[in-house]
Amino acid sequence: MAYVYTDKTLQSEHWPEPTQAAVLWERAKHWEQQARYWAGRAISAERRMLEHECSEEGN
């Protein structure tokens, strides 16, 4: 697991702007991937739920 830098750490004077930008870019990519993953899981769960409800009505 990668180390997660806090906003306070990134905003300190010890971090040059290009480094801050790179860390924030990686963080944004991570959250975008997480959003896509969970959206896919939600859509899949919804589809399974609707398929299950339809099969129950047929009985």
Side-chain angles (χ1 to χ4, degrees):
M1 181 173 163
Y3 182 79
V4 178
Y5 296 97
T6 65
D7 291 337
K8 185 176 180 179
T9 301
L10 288 174
Q11 293 170 356
S12 70
E13 295 178 12
H14 304 289
W15 291 81
E17 283 187 27
T19 303
Q20 291 178 9
V23 171
L24 293 173
W25 178 258
E26 289 297 323
R27 187 185 296 176
K29 285 185 355 185
H30 169 75
W31 286 116
E32 183 180 2
Q33 290 171 346
Q34 288 295 303
R36 272 194 248 115
Y37 171 79
W38 287 109
R41 293 282 308 258
I43 291 168
S44 175
E46 180 182 31
R47 185 182 67 246
R48 289 191 311 272
M49 181 184 69
L50 291 173
E51 289 171 355
H52 178 72
E53 287 178 4
C54 291
S55 65
E56 288 293 321
E57 290 174 6
N59 291 333

